Amino acid sequence: MSISVSGINKRFGDFVALDNVSLEVPTGRLTALLGPSGGGKSTLLRIIAGLEFPDTGSVEIEGVQATWLPPQKRSVGFVFQHYAAFKHMTVFKNVAFGLEIRRKPRAEIRQRVMELLELVHLEQFADRLPSQLSGGQRQRMALARALAVQPEVLLLDEPFGALDAQVRKELRDWLRNLHDEMNVTTIFVTHDQEEALEVSDEIVVINGGRIEQVGAPADLYDRPANDFVMKFLGPVTTLDGQLVRPHDIELLAAPGQEAIEATVTRLTRVGFEVRAELRTSKGGSEPWVQLTRIQAQELDLEPGRSVWLRTTHAPKTLAVS
Amino acid sequence: MAPGRRRSGSPLVRWVLRIIAVGYVLGLVALPVGTVVQHTFENGLEPVLESLRNPDFQAAARLGVFVAVISVLINTVFGIGISILIVRYRFPGRRLLNAIIDLPVSISPIVVGIALIFVYGTNGWFGPALNSMGIQIIFATPALVLATVIVALPLVVREVIPVLEEAGTEQDQAAQSLGANGFQRFVRITLPTIRWALAYGVVLSLARSLGEFGAVRVVSGSVAGVSQTPTLFVNDAYQEFGAQAEQDAFTAAFLLMCVAVLFIVVIALLRPKEQNQ
C-alpha cells in the first residue's frame, strides 16, 4: 500500500470535514476522490499532502509515518486547481524550483527540466512567464513542476476545474497517458463523475465527510452501494419507487413479459440521444428513458403513444422518497 | 455613451473650472515653492555654498540621513513581518493590530512626541530606569529614530498587505510541497512577490522620515550639531536673526524640496511596475 490513511477526523469550527475516514491507496494506481463540493475530498487530499493536519488519525506514505511531517519532508507532488504558478519566474524556473532547492548540479537541472517540458509539450515556452500561457498550459507546467522532484505520490486538487470543457477533455486523456508512462501513484480530486469514470483505476466516493464506496469505475457504476453513489455516478430515474438508470429501461412496442404499460408524454432530442418522458398507467410514476435515435425511430415514438417498459439486468436501489 | 456626454457643459463653465483648478494649484503649491527657490538664489550661488559649508547644517544633514535610513530599515523589517502576520495568520487581536497600525496617520505627530516623553522622558515610565543604566533616549538620537519610526510605521505595511492578500498562499504551499523551507520560501517566493510594493513603501517612508518635523521637534531638544535634523535646522535658522541665518534656512529648505521631488520621480516610476504585477 502506497498511502494508508486511518481514522482521520477533521473539523473546521463546527463543520465536520472528515468523519473517521480510512483509506488504502495502492502503489502505481490512478485514484479519483469523487464527491460533491464541501464533501471533504479536498481536505483529505490536503491532509495527505501535509498542507492540512488531522485532528485525530494517521497518514502513512510508503510505510513512513507522515501524519505530522510538514509538506517539504514528504515525497509528495501537489497540483492546485488554480495552478499556483510562481508568477515572477519563467516556465523553466518554475519547473526547476524543486531541483534548485535540492541543490542539484546546474547541468542536471537543465537536462531534467527540458525533458519534463518536452513531456508536457511546453519546450518552446521555457522562457515565457506564466502570465503568457493559457490555463491549460499553466496547468501542464504545474504538473511538470510537481513531477520534477520525482515524488512518490502525485496529488491533484481539481486539476482541470478552472479550464474550459474542450481543454479539460484533452488534459484528461493526456493525464491518463502520462500516468501510464510514469506510473507514479496518483490521487486526484474531482466533482465531475465523467472525469472520474473515464480516467481513474479506482474511485473513492466521498460525501458529508465519509467514504460512501471504493471500487473500480465499472463496479461503482453497476453495483452502487447506495442511492447516493448511484445518483452521483450517473443519470437516474424512478420507476415503481425504485431508482433505475434511464438507459436500463427497455421499451417495447407491444405488451411483453413483466412489462408495464405507459404513455409517452414528451420527447426531447439531445445530440445523439433521445429522452422519452413517460407516465405509467398503474401507479402513475413518471420515469424517463434514454434511447438512441435509431431505437426511437424503430419504436416510432411520439407523444401520446402507448409503450410497454421493463427494466433490464440493471442496478437498482430502493428510492428513499 | 452619447458623444455629447464626453464634454458636458458650456465652454464658459469649462474655462472657469480650468482657471479655478490652475489658480488653486498655483496659489497653494507652485507659488510658495517658487518663493523658496527665488529666496535661495536671490544673491547668487555664493551665499548658498556658504550655507552648505555651515558645520551645523552638515551635522543636521548627516543626522537626518542617519535617522531616516535607520527608521526605514526598522520599518521595512517590521513592516514585512507585520504584513505577513496580518495576512497569513488568524489570531485574537488581529483586527485590533490592523487598526493600531493606522493610528500614526491619524494622530498629530506632536502627540506622538509628547507620548514618547511620557514613556522615556526623565520623569516617564522607563526614563529613570534607563537613565540609571546610562542610556539616554529623549533629547538624543534614539528618540529621533523612535519618533520617526512611529510616524512612518503604516507606510510599508499598507503597501505590502494588499499585494500579499492578492497573491494568496497557494504559491507558498506549492513551494512547500516542492521541498522549500520557510526561509527559502520567503526569499524565493514572498520577497519577489512584494518587491515593487515594498520598494514603493520604502521610498514613501524615506520621504516621510526625512520630512518629519512635529514629533521630532518635541523629543529632540534641537541642539545644533547634536540633535538637530534638517527640518529642525530650517526652523531654527529661520527664526534666528541675520541674513546668513535666513539664507541657511532657505538653502536647507531648497535641498529638502529637491529630495522630495526626487522621491516623487522615483515613486512615479515605481507605481506602474507595481500595478503591472
Side-chain angles (χ1 to χ4, degrees):
Chain A
M1 285 295 151
S2 175
I3 303 171
S4 166
V5 166
S6 58
I8 297 277
N9 282 287
K10 177 73 181 175
R11 283 164 169 276
F12 295 106
D14 287 338
F15 178 72
V16 179
L18 292 172
D19 183 7
N20 196 24
V21 167
S22 299
L23 178 66
E24 304 275 327
V25 178
T27 305
R29 303 290 289 279
L30 180 52
T31 303
L33 300 184
L34 175 67
S37 34
K41 54 195 192 312
S42 280
T43 306
L44 180 58
L45 195 78
R46 292 173 65 84
I47 285 176
I48 295 171
L51 296 174
E52 212 85 67
F53 295 99
D55 299 334
T56 58
S58 72
V59 178
E60 270 182 35
I61 298 174
E62 295 291 358
V64 179
Q65 175 59 38
T67 317
W68 304 108
L69 281 183
Q72 64 264 34
K73 299 266 168 69
R74 308 180 184 205
S75 184
V76 158
F78 201 94
V79 174
F80 295 81
Q81 179 176 3
H82 297 288
Y83 331 123
F86 301 143
K87 289 181 188 158
H88 56 284
M89 297 181 196
T90 61
V91 170
F92 183 95
K93 278 282 180 185
N94 262 275
V95 178
F97 187 88
L99 299 168
E100 285 180 353
I101 292 289
R102 283 166 179 71
R103 298 183 190 288
K104 300 277 185 206
R106 219 167 238 268
E108 190 189 322
I109 293 179
R110 172 136 211 108
Q111 195 200 339
R112 175 117 186 91
V113 171
M114 288 322 284
E115 268 171 33
L116 279 160
L117 286 180
E118 222 163 286
L119 185 73
V120 300
H121 310 301
L122 287 175
E123 61 271 30
Q124 71 274 41
F125 297 117
D127 296 325
R128 294 225 187 152
L129 286 172
S131 56
Q132 297 166 305
L133 301 183
S134 71
Q137 290 170 332
R138 272 184 234 184
Q139 198 56 300
R140 296 208 306 263
M141 179 195 84
L143 217 87
R145 183 176 70 181
L147 289 171
V149 296
Q150 291 174 306
E152 279 164 6
V153 178
L154 183 61
L155 305 173
L156 304 102
D157 191 3
E158 304 246 4
F160 313 132
L163 303 169
D164 59 55
Q166 181 100 31
V167 181
R168 200 170 172 150
K169 187 115 184 53
E170 263 173 50
L171 275 190
R172 214 190 263 175
D173 297 342
W174 179 83
L175 175 68
R176 180 70 236 185
N177 293 336
L178 186 79
H179 179 264
D180 293 343
E181 241 172 85
M182 315 258 313
N183 257 316
V184 52
T185 309
T186 305
I187 304 181
F188 78 103
V189 159
T190 179
H191 59 255
D192 180 344
Q193 94 283 354
E194 201 187 313
E195 197 165 284
L197 288 169
E198 198 179 308
V199 176
S200 57
D201 298 319
E202 189 167 69
I203 298 180
V204 179
V205 181
I206 299 184
N207 179 41
R210 293 166 163 278
I211 292 181
E212 299 277 358
Q213 194 175 0
V214 181
D219 256 9
L220 258 63
Y221 196 86
D222 293 340
R223 283 180 289 281
N226 54 39
D227 278 0
F228 177 82
V229 176
M230 176 142 181
K231 279 184 190 163
F232 204 79
L233 259 75
V236 289
T237 187
T238 319
L239 178 61
D240 279 345
Q242 281 188 317
L243 279 184
V244 187
R245 298 243 183 261
H247 47 74
D248 285 336
I249 298 177
E250 194 184 355
L251 288 192
L252 306 168
Q257 230 182 353
E258 287 177 37
I260 337 167
E261 193 181 354
T263 320
V264 178
T265 53
R266 192 159 173 239
L267 282 178
T268 320
R269 170 87 196 273
V270 186
F272 58 86
E273 67 166 65
V274 174
R275 290 180 193 173
E277 289 171 37
L278 309 164
R279 184 184 297 115
T280 55
S281 5
K282 268 185 253 163
S285 64
E286 296 188 335
W288 64 276
V289 180
Q290 201 173 19
L291 304 148
T292 64
R293 231 171 359 172
I294 298 181
Q295 282 173 323
Q297 274 164 12
E298 279 171 355
L299 286 163
D300 198 15
L301 286 187
E302 59 183 58
R305 257 198 76 123
S306 282
V307 287
W308 283 262
L309 46 93
R310 66 181 174 202
T311 50
T312 48
H313 56 87
K316 13 185 181 188
T317 64
L318 280 177
V320 200
S321 58
Chain B
M1 193 192 289
R5 278 187 68 95
R6 223 169 285 163
R7 291 188 172 190
S8 64
S10 69
L12 181 70
V13 172
R14 210 160 66 227
W15 274 106
V16 169
L17 283 176
R18 255 184 222 182
I19 288 166
I20 291 176
V22 171
Y24 191 82
V25 173
L26 274 179
L28 286 178
V29 183
L31 207 63
V33 166
T35 321
V36 171
V37 177
Q38 190 236 326
H39 277 281
T40 308
F41 295 100
E42 205 169 27
N43 300 313
L45 207 56
E46 191 41 45
V48 177
L49 295 175
E50 180 61 33
S51 297
L52 292 180
R53 284 193 288 268
N54 182 341
D56 286 351
F57 168 77
Q58 290 177 354
R62 272 197 300 273
L63 183 63
V65 171
F66 176 78
V67 168
V69 168
I70 297 291
S71 309
V72 167
L73 278 180
I74 294 174
N75 270 338
T76 305
V77 172
F78 281 93
I80 294 173
I82 290 171
S83 304
I84 290 177
L85 189 68
I86 287 179
V87 173
R88 300 215 176 138
Y89 297 87
R90 294 292 172 269
F91 54 91
R94 175 175 161 270
R95 290 176 55 164
L96 186 70
L97 176 67
N98 202 0
I100 286 176
I101 286 166
D102 282 334
L103 217 54
V105 175
S106 47
I107 48 176
S108 166
I110 208 137
V111 178
V112 172
I114 290 171
L116 279 175
I117 289 188
F118 278 142
V119 179
Y120 298 104
T122 325
N123 300 313
W125 293 351
F126 305 135
L130 288 167
N131 254 340
S132 65
M133 287 189 288
I135 301 170
Q136 199 194 352
I137 304 261
I138 299 297
F139 304 134
T141 313
L144 300 181
V145 172
L146 271 177
T148 312
V149 164
I150 295 174
V151 167
L153 177 73
L155 298 174
V156 167
V157 178
R158 286 293 156 239
E159 288 302 318
V160 170
I161 280 184
V163 177
L164 270 183
E165 267 173 354
E166 209 213 302
T169 51
E170 281 203 341
Q171 291 185 54
D172 204 63
Q173 292 178 346
Q176 208 177 357
S177 74
L178 290 167
N181 63 33
F183 178 72
Q184 288 167 324
R185 296 200 300 276
F186 177 72
V187 172
R188 287 167 184 258
I189 307 295
T190 309
L191 267 190
T193 303
I194 61 172
R195 63 190 155 180
W196 292 118
L198 187 63
Y200 187 75
V202 163
V203 175
L204 279 182
S205 304
L206 206 53
R208 182 80 181 81
S209 302
L210 275 175
E212 173 50 26
F213 175 74
V216 164
R217 166 105 199 135
V218 179
V219 297
S220 126
S222 195
V223 180
V226 178
S227 62
Q228 199 176 45
T229 62
T231 52
L232 297 176
F233 176 85
V234 171
N235 180 62
D236 296 352
Y238 187 70
Q239 285 175 354
E240 235 174 80
F241 285 107
Q244 189 54 42
E246 195 170 80
Q247 177 66 51
D248 288 349
F250 281 119
T251 305
F254 175 73
L255 280 178
L256 280 172
M257 231 169 53
C258 289
V259 172
V261 169
L262 181 73
F263 285 148
I264 288 173
V265 171
V266 173
I267 284 169
L269 291 176
L270 284 177
R271 216 13 156 186
K273 285 198 170 142
E274 190 193 350
Q275 279 160 354
N276 280 346
Q277 279 220 320

